[in-house]
Amino acid sequence: MATTDLYDPNDFDRPSVTVDVVILTVVDAHLGVLVHRRPEDPYAGAWALPGGFVQLDETLEDAARRVLRVKGGLEDVWLEQLYTFGDLDRDPRTRVLSVSYMALVDVDRFRGSTAEDADTAVATIVEHDGDWQVTVDGTAAALAFDHERIVTTAVERLRGKLDWTPVGYQLLPDEFTLRDLQAVHEVVGGARLNKQSFRRRMLNSGELEDTGRLEEDVSHRPASFYRFVGGGAA
């Protein structure tokens, strides 16, 4: 007897599964996250992370990359599975498990997203009384579902990875200055860094290559452009 003959899926309750993607960038000296205004209930009109239900014919990562493409206008970006959220009351419609992902994008690609419209925003993430708060146009935004918790988990994951992996380069364009690199580390880490010691550490890391190009049309001494060439896995 085939194993399938012993199993009737209708004998078991089956929760729905979604993916929610935290798409992070650094913009205007703050962490930014892509949010959409929900067009329908539940939480109609509220801001939420881009997400969607997992189709039966796709893997979790395929679903996450579909969400990135359709709702974020983004492809070929750094993506990592974050955490699975499964509180019983997290979705008022039915029992829904969310497998969350974190994506990192430099701000120019963020701003060039083909999915930008009136109901899409790059929200700012600020630290407030030990918690992370999402604001849209300077106003605190209560995200739908448990998406604030998902954002907090992503920020803490990113902060924890920053000093022992080269993940910070994913928030920069292909070529950048040491000033740009330090700004990313300060924004994500939430603390000012000593300029000389930071630059010495980065230049000695083996992760950088000088492109030979300098900044142009600047009022200060032009800085050199570098590119990331490896030195560890993100």
Side-chain angles (χ1 to χ4, degrees):
M1 181 180 295
T3 302
T4 53
D5 295 333
L6 303 176
Y7 175 76
D8 184 351
N10 294 314
D11 289 340
F12 302 91
D13 291 330
R14 287 165 288 174
S16 297
V17 180
T18 66
V19 291
D20 290 301
V21 186
V22 187
I23 309 173
L24 295 173
T25 192
V26 172
V27 56
D28 298 329
H30 288 94
L31 273 174
V33 61
L34 190 71
V35 292
H36 289 277
R37 197 183 298 278
R38 284 186 58 79
E40 57 192 8
D41 286 325
Y43 304 105
W47 294 104
L49 295 171
F53 287 92
V54 178
Q55 305 300 313
L56 292 177
D57 62 348
E58 63 183 354
T59 67
L60 291 171
E61 184 165 323
D62 286 343
R65 293 198 180 278
R66 171 174 55 81
V67 168
L68 271 170
R69 182 178 67 255
V70 174
K71 295 189 175 182
L74 295 163
E75 295 188 85
D76 299 322
V77 301
W78 185 92
L79 183 71
E80 176 180 277
Q81 189 175 124
L82 182 63
Y83 190 77
T84 299
F85 294 83
D87 286 356
L88 295 176
D89 59 351
R90 65 174 305 276
D91 192 315
R93 294 170 293 187
T94 185
R95 182 81 167 95
V96 178
L97 307 178
S98 174
V99 181
S100 61
Y101 281 79
M102 176 172 65
L104 303 180
V105 190
D106 76 85
V107 68
D108 289 337
R109 290 196 64 186
F110 225 120
R111 287 171 170 157
S113 167
T114 57
E116 288 183 330
D117 55 45
D119 291 322
T120 302
V122 180
T124 299
I125 306 171
V126 295
E127 197 166 4
H128 180 72
D129 293 336
D131 294 322
W132 296 100
Q133 187 176 76
V134 176
T135 65
V136 179
D137 296 329
T139 302
L143 299 185
F145 306 104
D146 53 358
H147 288 187
E148 290 177 19
R149 183 183 170 201
I150 297 177
V151 169
T152 294
T153 303
V155 174
E156 296 296 341
R157 170 74 65 83
L158 176 59
R159 179 173 280 191
K161 290 172 68 76
L162 188 65
D163 284 334
W164 60 276
T165 74
V167 69
Y169 296 107
Q170 304 298 331
L171 295 166
L172 291 162
D174 291 338
E175 296 185 2
F176 49 86
T177 66
L178 292 176
R179 182 176 61 252
D180 298 330
L181 180 58
Q182 182 171 340
V184 163
H185 278 250
E186 289 180 341
V187 167
V188 175
R192 296 292 299 273
L193 299 171
N194 179 273
K195 177 180 175 180
Q196 295 305 320
S197 61
F198 175 81
R199 294 188 174 198
R200 182 167 55 251
R201 177 162 61 93
M202 292 296 101
L203 291 174
N204 291 337
S205 68
E207 298 173 354
L208 299 177
E209 177 183 76
D210 192 332
T211 67
R213 294 199 313 110
L214 298 175
E215 290 180 306
E216 298 179 356
D217 301 322
V218 293
S219 58
H220 51 78
R221 180 181 177 182
S224 297
F225 282 101
Y226 291 84
R227 64 170 63 95
F228 172 63
V229 292

